[in-house]
Protein backbone atom coordinates (compact mmCIF):
# COMPACT_ATOMS: atom_id res chain seq x y z
CA UNK A 1 0.00 0.00 0.00
CA UNK A 2 1.26 3.51 -0.83
CA UNK A 3 1.79 6.09 1.91
CA UNK A 4 2.07 9.37 0.02
CA UNK A 5 -0.90 10.82 1.94
CA UNK A 6 0.55 10.18 5.41
CA UNK A 7 1.57 13.79 6.14
CA UNK A 8 -1.61 15.19 4.62
CA UNK A 9 -3.75 12.94 6.80
CA UNK A 10 -2.09 14.22 9.98
CA UNK A 11 -3.56 17.69 9.43
CA UNK A 12 -6.72 18.40 11.44
CA UNK A 13 -7.66 22.06 11.75
CA UNK A 14 -10.35 21.48 14.38
CA UNK A 15 -7.96 19.54 16.60
CA UNK A 16 -5.11 21.98 16.06
CA UNK A 17 -7.40 24.89 16.93
CA UNK A 18 -8.24 23.31 20.30
CA UNK A 19 -4.86 21.87 21.29
CA UNK A 20 -1.38 23.38 21.60
CA UNK A 21 1.39 20.87 22.27
CA UNK A 22 4.89 22.18 22.96
CA UNK A 23 7.63 19.58 23.28
CA UNK A 24 11.24 20.23 24.36
CA UNK A 25 12.99 22.42 21.80
CA UNK A 26 15.06 19.62 20.28
CA UNK A 27 11.87 17.74 19.39
CA UNK A 28 9.48 20.61 18.82
CA UNK A 29 8.01 21.04 15.37
CA UNK A 30 7.33 24.71 16.12
CA UNK A 31 10.51 26.63 15.22
CA UNK A 32 11.49 29.29 17.76
CA UNK A 33 9.21 27.94 20.48
CA UNK A 34 11.07 26.81 23.57
CA UNK A 35 9.42 24.56 26.14
CA UNK A 36 10.15 25.21 29.84
CA UNK A 37 12.37 22.78 31.74
CA UNK A 38 10.83 19.40 32.53
CA UNK A 39 11.00 20.15 36.26
CA UNK A 40 8.95 23.32 35.95
CA UNK A 41 5.34 22.90 36.96
CA UNK A 42 2.87 24.11 34.36
CA UNK A 43 0.83 27.21 34.85
CA UNK A 44 -2.74 26.46 35.83
CA UNK A 45 -5.35 26.75 33.10
CA UNK A 46 -7.80 29.62 33.42
CA UNK A 47 -10.69 27.22 33.89
CA UNK A 48 -10.17 24.76 36.76
CA UNK A 49 -10.37 21.03 36.12
CA UNK A 50 -13.92 19.84 36.57
CA UNK A 51 -14.11 17.14 39.21
CA UNK A 52 -16.51 15.15 41.35
CA UNK A 53 -18.16 17.35 43.97
CA UNK A 54 -16.17 15.92 46.83
CA UNK A 55 -12.85 16.03 44.99
CA UNK A 56 -9.83 17.34 46.87
CA UNK A 57 -6.73 19.01 45.48
CA UNK A 58 -3.46 17.16 45.29
CA UNK A 59 -0.16 18.47 46.54
CA UNK A 60 1.28 18.06 43.03
CA UNK A 61 4.62 16.83 44.29
CA UNK A 62 6.07 13.41 43.66
CA UNK A 63 8.58 11.38 45.61
CA UNK A 64 12.29 11.37 44.86
CA UNK A 65 13.65 9.50 41.90
CA UNK A 66 15.16 6.05 41.95
CA UNK A 67 18.77 6.18 40.86
CA UNK A 68 19.47 2.51 40.24
CA UNK A 69 19.89 1.09 36.70
CA UNK A 70 19.17 -2.33 35.25
CA UNK A 71 22.01 -4.60 34.16
CA UNK A 72 19.98 -6.28 31.39
CA UNK A 73 21.47 -9.68 32.29
CA UNK A 74 20.81 -12.25 35.00
CA UNK A 75 23.43 -12.96 37.63
CA UNK A 76 23.42 -16.67 38.43
CA UNK A 77 19.79 -17.37 39.41
CA UNK A 78 19.15 -14.32 41.55
CA UNK A 79 15.64 -12.87 41.52
CA UNK A 80 15.77 -9.34 40.16
CA UNK A 81 14.03 -6.11 40.91
CA UNK A 82 13.86 -4.28 37.54
CA UNK A 83 16.18 -1.28 37.45
CA UNK A 84 18.38 -2.63 40.29
CA UNK A 85 21.69 -4.43 39.60
CA UNK A 86 21.87 -8.05 40.74
CA UNK A 87 23.11 -8.46 44.30
CA UNK A 88 22.04 -4.98 45.41
CA UNK A 89 19.00 -3.92 47.36
CA UNK A 90 16.52 -1.48 45.79
CA UNK A 91 17.16 2.17 46.51
CA UNK A 92 15.37 3.42 49.64
CA UNK A 93 12.70 6.09 49.52
CA UNK A 94 13.98 9.61 50.01
CA UNK A 95 13.19 11.82 53.01
CA UNK A 96 10.79 13.74 50.76
CA UNK A 97 8.87 10.53 50.18
CA UNK A 98 8.67 9.86 53.93
CA UNK A 99 7.29 13.34 54.53
CA UNK A 100 4.72 12.89 51.78
CA UNK A 101 3.62 9.57 53.31
CA UNK A 102 2.85 11.42 56.53
CA UNK A 103 0.68 13.89 54.64
CA UNK A 104 -1.27 11.10 52.94
CA UNK A 105 -2.72 9.86 56.22
CA UNK A 106 -4.35 13.27 56.70
CA UNK A 107 -5.68 13.60 53.15
CA UNK A 108 -9.40 13.09 52.48
CA UNK A 109 -10.59 10.21 50.32
CA UNK A 110 -9.23 10.63 46.84
CA UNK A 111 -11.57 11.18 43.92
CA UNK A 112 -13.17 9.49 42.16
CA UNK A 113 -14.28 7.05 44.85
CA UNK A 114 -14.17 4.19 42.36
CA UNK A 115 -10.36 4.33 42.59
CA UNK A 116 -8.23 2.99 45.43
CA UNK A 117 -6.53 5.75 47.44
CA UNK A 118 -3.64 3.81 49.00
CA UNK A 119 -0.31 5.26 47.92
CA UNK A 120 -1.80 8.54 46.66
CA UNK A 121 -1.81 12.09 47.96
CA UNK A 122 -4.94 13.42 46.30
CA UNK A 123 -4.49 12.68 42.60
CA UNK A 124 -0.70 12.37 42.75
CA UNK A 125 1.04 9.06 43.58
CA UNK A 126 3.35 9.19 46.60
CA UNK A 127 6.00 7.31 44.60
CA UNK A 128 5.91 8.37 40.95
CA UNK A 129 6.67 5.21 38.91
CA UNK A 130 7.63 7.12 35.75
CA UNK A 131 11.04 8.40 34.68
CA UNK A 132 11.85 10.34 31.51
CA UNK A 133 13.86 8.05 29.26
CA UNK A 134 12.19 4.88 30.51
CA UNK A 135 11.75 2.26 27.81
CA UNK A 136 10.37 -1.26 28.21
CA UNK A 137 10.83 -3.47 25.16
CA UNK A 138 8.78 -6.62 24.56
CA UNK A 139 9.14 -9.44 22.09
CA UNK A 140 5.69 -10.33 20.77
CA UNK A 141 5.38 -13.97 19.81
CA UNK A 142 2.75 -16.36 18.58
CA UNK A 143 3.26 -20.13 18.74
CA UNK A 144 6.78 -19.34 20.03
CA UNK A 145 7.63 -17.50 16.79
CA UNK A 146 8.65 -13.85 17.11
CA UNK A 147 5.99 -11.71 15.42
CA UNK A 148 7.27 -8.28 16.33
CA UNK A 149 8.34 -5.78 18.93
CA UNK A 150 6.41 -3.64 21.42
CA UNK A 151 8.01 -0.57 22.99
CA UNK A 152 6.50 1.39 25.89
CA UNK A 153 8.27 4.71 26.47
CA UNK A 154 8.22 7.68 28.82
CA UNK A 155 9.39 10.61 26.70
CA UNK A 156 10.29 14.18 27.84
CA UNK A 157 7.55 16.26 29.45
CA UNK A 158 5.48 18.45 27.14
CA UNK A 159 3.23 21.45 27.67
CA UNK A 160 -0.32 20.76 26.56
CA UNK A 161 -2.47 23.88 26.59
CA UNK A 162 -0.02 25.39 29.10
CA UNK A 163 -0.11 22.41 31.45
CA UNK A 164 2.87 20.19 32.23
CA UNK A 165 2.15 16.71 30.89
CA UNK A 166 3.75 13.29 30.77
CA UNK A 167 4.42 12.01 27.26
CA UNK A 168 3.71 8.29 27.06
CA UNK A 169 4.39 6.49 23.77
CA UNK A 170 3.62 2.97 22.57
CA UNK A 171 5.20 1.62 19.37
CA UNK A 172 4.55 -1.68 17.60
CA UNK A 173 6.56 -3.05 14.69
CA UNK A 174 6.39 -6.47 13.05
CA UNK A 175 9.45 -8.68 12.63
CA UNK A 176 11.04 -9.10 9.21
CA UNK A 177 9.46 -12.55 8.90
CA UNK A 178 5.91 -11.37 9.63
CA UNK A 179 6.37 -8.19 7.59
CA UNK A 180 6.61 -10.31 4.47
CA UNK A 181 2.97 -11.29 5.10
CA UNK A 182 1.64 -8.15 6.81
CA UNK A 183 3.73 -5.23 8.01
CA UNK A 184 2.88 -3.08 11.01
CA UNK A 185 4.55 0.17 12.03
CA UNK A 186 2.26 1.87 14.56
CA UNK A 187 2.84 4.59 17.14
CA UNK A 188 0.59 6.32 19.63
CA UNK A 189 1.50 9.09 22.03
CA UNK A 190 -0.78 10.17 24.83
CA UNK A 191 -0.28 13.27 26.96
CA UNK A 192 -1.29 12.91 30.61
CA UNK A 193 -1.60 15.91 32.92
CA UNK A 194 1.11 15.92 35.59
CA UNK A 195 -1.15 17.24 38.36
CA UNK A 196 -4.34 15.19 38.01
CA UNK A 197 -3.07 12.23 35.90
CA UNK A 198 -5.89 12.68 33.41
CA UNK A 199 -5.08 12.34 29.68
CA UNK A 200 -5.90 15.39 27.58
CA UNK A 201 -4.81 14.16 24.15
CA UNK A 202 -3.66 11.17 22.17
CA UNK A 203 -2.41 10.91 18.60
CA UNK A 204 -2.33 7.57 16.78
CA UNK A 205 -0.33 6.85 13.62
CA UNK A 206 -1.03 3.53 11.89
CA UNK A 207 1.04 2.40 8.92
CA UNK A 208 0.22 -1.16 7.90
CA UNK A 209 0.06 -3.26 4.75
CA UNK A 210 -3.70 -2.99 4.60
CA UNK A 211 -4.31 0.52 5.90
CA UNK A 212 -3.04 3.97 6.70
CA UNK A 213 -4.79 5.64 9.63
CA UNK A 214 -4.47 8.83 11.66
CA UNK A 215 -6.55 9.27 14.81
CA UNK A 216 -6.69 11.99 17.45
CA UNK A 217 -8.64 12.31 20.68
CA UNK A 218 -9.23 15.28 22.95
CA UNK A 219 -10.60 15.04 26.48
CA UNK A 220 -12.10 18.39 27.50
CA UNK A 221 -12.00 18.02 31.29
CA UNK A 222 -13.75 21.35 31.88
CA UNK A 223 -16.80 20.27 29.86
CA UNK A 224 -16.37 16.54 30.52
CA UNK A 225 -16.57 15.68 26.83
CA UNK A 226 -14.47 13.52 24.52
CA UNK A 227 -13.93 14.17 20.83
CA UNK A 228 -12.39 11.59 18.50
CA UNK A 229 -11.28 12.18 14.90
CA UNK A 230 -10.13 9.52 12.46
CA UNK A 231 -8.92 9.54 8.86
CA UNK A 232 -8.29 6.21 7.19
CA UNK A 233 -7.28 4.84 3.81
CA UNK A 234 -7.69 1.12 3.08
CA UNK A 235 -7.34 -1.01 -0.02
CA UNK A 236 -10.92 -2.20 0.16
CA UNK A 237 -12.80 0.98 1.10
CA UNK A 238 -10.58 3.87 0.04
CA UNK A 239 -10.69 7.07 2.09
CA UNK A 240 -12.92 7.29 5.16
CA UNK A 241 -13.37 9.84 7.93
CA UNK A 242 -15.09 9.56 11.31
CA UNK A 243 -15.82 11.91 14.18
CA UNK A 244 -17.30 11.02 17.57
CA UNK A 245 -18.27 13.24 20.46
CA UNK A 246 -19.67 12.06 23.77
CA UNK A 247 -19.88 12.95 27.46
CA UNK A 248 -17.35 11.44 29.83
CA UNK A 249 -17.09 11.23 33.60
CA UNK A 250 -14.40 13.08 35.59
CA UNK A 251 -10.97 11.43 35.78
CA UNK A 252 -11.46 9.26 32.71
CA UNK A 253 -8.45 7.55 31.06
CA UNK A 254 -8.15 6.67 27.39
CA UNK A 255 -7.24 3.14 26.27
CA UNK A 256 -3.56 4.06 25.86
CA UNK A 257 -3.05 6.05 29.05
CA UNK A 258 -4.70 3.16 30.92
CA UNK A 259 -1.62 1.01 30.19
CA UNK A 260 0.45 3.46 32.22
CA UNK A 261 -2.14 4.57 34.75
CA UNK A 262 -2.57 1.07 36.19
CA UNK A 263 1.08 1.23 37.31
CA UNK A 264 0.22 3.81 39.99
CA UNK A 265 -1.67 1.32 42.16
CA UNK A 266 -0.28 -0.99 44.87
CA UNK A 267 -1.79 -4.23 43.49
CA UNK A 268 -2.09 -6.19 46.71
CA UNK A 269 -2.91 -9.88 46.23
CA UNK A 270 -6.64 -10.62 46.22
CA UNK A 271 -7.61 -6.96 45.83
CA UNK A 272 -9.41 -5.43 42.84
CA UNK A 273 -8.57 -2.01 41.42
CA UNK A 274 -10.76 0.04 39.08
CA UNK A 275 -10.74 3.26 37.06
CA UNK A 276 -12.75 4.87 34.26
CA UNK A 277 -11.90 4.60 30.58
CA UNK A 278 -13.49 6.40 27.61
CA UNK A 279 -13.28 4.76 24.18
CA UNK A 280 -15.25 4.43 20.95
CA UNK A 281 -18.22 6.53 22.07
CA UNK A 282 -18.51 4.56 25.31
CA UNK A 283 -17.68 5.00 28.99
CA UNK A 284 -16.15 1.88 30.53
CA UNK A 285 -14.75 0.77 33.86
CA UNK A 286 -11.46 -1.10 33.76
CA UNK A 287 -10.94 -3.43 36.70
CA UNK A 288 -8.08 -5.71 37.51
CA UNK A 289 -7.62 -8.24 40.26
CA UNK A 290 -4.18 -9.09 41.60
CA UNK A 291 -4.27 -12.89 41.53
CA UNK A 292 -0.89 -13.80 42.95
CA UNK A 293 2.77 -13.00 43.28
CA UNK A 294 5.31 -15.17 41.49
CA UNK A 295 8.77 -15.18 39.96
CA UNK A 296 8.64 -14.67 36.19
CA UNK A 297 11.50 -16.18 34.21
CA UNK A 298 12.49 -13.76 31.44
CA UNK A 299 15.41 -13.16 29.10
CA UNK A 300 16.61 -10.68 31.73
CA UNK A 301 16.58 -13.41 34.35
CA UNK A 302 14.01 -14.18 37.07
CA UNK A 303 11.95 -11.13 38.13
CA UNK A 304 9.46 -10.81 40.97
CA UNK A 305 6.02 -10.13 39.50
CA UNK A 306 2.34 -9.58 40.28
CA UNK A 307 -0.18 -11.36 38.06
CA UNK A 308 -3.25 -9.27 37.22
CA UNK A 309 -6.42 -10.39 35.45
CA UNK A 310 -8.27 -7.48 33.78
CA UNK A 311 -11.97 -7.12 33.01
CA UNK A 312 -14.25 -4.44 31.55
CA UNK A 313 -17.63 -3.19 32.77
CA UNK A 314 -19.86 -1.42 30.22
CA UNK A 315 -23.22 0.12 31.14
CA UNK A 316 -23.21 -1.70 34.45
CA UNK A 317 -22.63 -5.11 32.89
CA UNK A 318 -19.43 -7.10 33.08
CA UNK A 319 -18.06 -7.86 29.62
CA UNK A 320 -15.65 -10.79 29.71
CA UNK A 321 -12.51 -10.14 27.66
CA UNK A 322 -11.29 -13.72 27.64
CA UNK A 323 -8.32 -15.22 29.39
CA UNK A 324 -6.01 -12.23 29.48
CA UNK A 325 -3.30 -11.67 32.06
CA UNK A 326 -0.78 -8.94 32.80
CA UNK A 327 2.43 -9.35 34.80
CA UNK A 328 3.65 -6.22 36.63
CA UNK A 329 7.05 -5.97 38.31
CA UNK A 330 6.69 -6.32 42.08
CA UNK A 331 8.37 -3.03 42.99
CA UNK A 332 7.72 0.71 42.99
CA UNK A 333 7.96 0.97 39.19
CA UNK A 334 5.35 -1.65 38.23
CA UNK A 335 6.83 -2.21 34.77
CA UNK A 336 4.64 -4.27 32.44
CA UNK A 337 6.67 -7.46 32.09
CA UNK A 338 4.32 -9.75 30.21
CA UNK A 339 0.92 -9.66 28.48
CA UNK A 340 -0.82 -12.90 27.64
CA UNK A 341 -3.96 -13.04 25.52
CA UNK A 342 -5.72 -16.20 24.43
CA UNK A 343 -7.24 -15.83 20.97
CA UNK A 344 -9.26 -18.20 18.79
CA UNK A 345 -6.20 -20.23 17.89
CA UNK A 346 -3.40 -20.29 20.41
CA UNK A 347 -2.06 -17.58 22.71
CA UNK A 348 -0.46 -14.25 21.83
CA UNK A 349 2.33 -13.38 24.27
CA UNK A 350 4.27 -10.14 24.71
CA UNK A 351 7.22 -10.44 27.10
CA UNK A 352 9.98 -8.13 28.28
CA UNK A 353 13.45 -8.43 26.73
CA UNK A 354 14.90 -5.06 27.74
CA UNK A 355 14.33 -2.42 30.44
CA UNK A 356 15.81 1.07 30.42
CA UNK A 357 14.78 2.65 33.76
CA UNK A 358 15.26 6.26 32.70
CA UNK A 359 16.40 9.10 34.97
Amino acid sequence: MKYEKADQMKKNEEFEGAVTIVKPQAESSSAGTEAPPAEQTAAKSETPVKADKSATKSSGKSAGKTSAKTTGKSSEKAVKTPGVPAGKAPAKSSKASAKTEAVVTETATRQPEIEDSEGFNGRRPVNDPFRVGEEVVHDVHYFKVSAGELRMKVEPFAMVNNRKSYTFAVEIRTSSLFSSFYSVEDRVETFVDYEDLVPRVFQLHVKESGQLREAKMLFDVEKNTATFWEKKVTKDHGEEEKKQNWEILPYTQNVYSAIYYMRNFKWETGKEYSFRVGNDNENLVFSGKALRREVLNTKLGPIKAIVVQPKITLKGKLNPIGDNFIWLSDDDRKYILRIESKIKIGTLVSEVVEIKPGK
Side-chain angles (χ1 to χ4, degrees):
M1 185 171 179
K2 296 182 179 181
Y3 301 106
E4 289 86 351
K5 295 186 178 182
D7 291 336
Q8 180 183 342
M9 289 176 63
K10 290 180 182 179
K11 296 178 181 179
N12 185 316
E13 292 183 2
E14 189 175 1
F15 174 84
E16 292 165 3
V19 178
T20 301
I21 301 172
V22 182
K23 296 184 179 181
Q25 191 174 23
E27 300 179 16
S28 176
S29 59
S30 301
T33 303
E34 184 174 355
E39 293 78 10
Q40 180 179 328
T41 303
K44 301 288 185 182
S45 57
E46 294 182 3
T47 307
V49 175
K50 189 173 182 181
D52 289 353
K53 292 182 179 180
S54 57
T56 56
K57 295 182 179 179
S58 68
S59 66
K61 295 184 179 180
S62 60
K65 297 181 179 180
T66 304
S67 61
K69 297 181 180 179
T70 183
T71 61
K73 298 180 181 179
S74 62
S75 176
E76 297 179 353
K77 292 293 182 181
V79 176
K80 290 188 175 184
T81 298
V84 179
K88 293 187 179 181
K92 294 182 180 180
S93 300
S94 66
K95 291 181 181 180
S97 176
K99 290 180 180 179
T100 310
E101 294 248 13
V103 174
V104 173
T105 58
E106 302 174 4
T107 303
T109 302
R110 167 175 180 270
Q111 294 296 320
E113 292 184 359
I114 187 177
E115 294 186 14
D116 190 77
S117 60
E118 185 180 1
F120 287 87
N121 184 10
R123 289 292 301 168
R124 288 287 304 160
V126 173
N127 295 305
D128 191 332
F130 311 115
R131 306 287 186 275
V132 171
E134 174 193 310
E135 187 170 356
V136 179
V137 184
H138 281 210
D139 173 52
V140 181
H141 48 276
Y142 181 57
F143 283 112
K144 297 184 178 180
V145 177
S146 179
E149 183 180 79
L150 168 68
R151 291 179 178 266
M152 292 169 280
K153 302 179 179 181
V154 179
E155 298 182 344
F157 289 100
M159 298 295 289
V160 179
N161 289 351
N162 287 328
R163 292 185 65 92
K164 179 180 176 181
S165 302
Y166 294 99
T167 305
F168 297 139
V170 178
E171 298 174 348
I172 302 175
R173 184 189 297 267
T174 47
S175 64
S176 56
L177 174 62
F178 271 73
S179 292
S180 61
F181 302 102
Y182 191 90
S183 67
V184 172
E185 188 179 334
D186 300 349
R187 173 182 163 89
V188 62
E189 53 185 7
T190 183
F191 299 93
V192 175
D193 190 86
Y194 182 84
E195 296 292 338
D196 60 23
L197 296 183
V198 175
R200 298 296 199 271
V201 174
F202 83 63
Q203 300 185 95
L204 172 66
H205 316 287
V206 173
K207 185 178 179 182
E208 301 179 1
S209 295
Q211 66 171 321
L212 181 65
R213 181 159 64 104
E214 291 290 331
K216 301 177 187 293
M217 179 180 276
L218 169 65
F219 279 4
D220 187 329
V221 298
E222 284 76 37
K223 298 178 181 178
N224 280 334
T225 60
T227 306
F228 174 81
W229 298 267
E230 181 183 73
K231 296 179 181 179
K232 182 167 60 174
V233 178
T234 62
K235 290 181 178 179
D236 296 333
H237 303 288
E239 297 185 20
E240 299 175 278
E241 289 192 28
K242 178 171 72 173
K243 180 180 177 181
Q244 295 173 321
N245 188 276
W246 73 99
E247 293 184 359
I248 56 174
L249 295 171
Y251 308 113
T252 293
Q253 299 295 313
N254 62 49
V255 292
Y256 302 104
S257 67
I259 298 170
Y260 290 85
Y261 190 66
M262 65 183 295
R263 292 172 52 189
N264 290 290
F265 297 101
K266 291 290 187 179
W267 295 104
E268 297 295 338
T269 303
K271 191 171 179 179
E272 188 168 277
Y273 298 80
S274 301
F275 54 87
R276 297 164 178 164
V277 177
N279 184 58
D280 197 18
N281 217 25
E282 299 281 4
N283 293 315
L284 320 170
V285 173
F286 170 92
S287 298
K289 185 174 183 179
L291 300 180
R292 64 185 182 275
R293 281 177 156 79
E294 67 180 36
V295 176
L296 179 66
N297 291 314
T298 74
K299 289 186 177 180
L300 301 179
I303 301 176
K304 292 180 180 179
I306 304 165
V307 184
V308 174
Q309 184 171 31
K311 62 182 181 181
I312 297 294
T313 301
L314 174 61
K315 297 178 181 178
K317 296 182 180 180
L318 175 63
N319 289 345
I321 52 176
D323 291 329
N324 296 293
F325 301 92
I326 300 171
W327 279 255
L328 302 174
S329 62
D330 191 3
D331 58 11
D332 288 342
R333 301 297 294 275
K334 298 294 187 299
Y335 297 117
I336 295 179
L337 302 175
R338 179 182 170 96
I339 303 170
E340 186 177 295
S341 180
K342 289 190 177 179
I343 54 181
K344 289 183 179 180
I345 303 176
T347 301
L348 190 67
V349 176
S350 178
E351 189 165 85
V352 66
V353 293
E354 183 182 359
I355 295 176
K356 297 177 183 177
K359 298 179 181 181

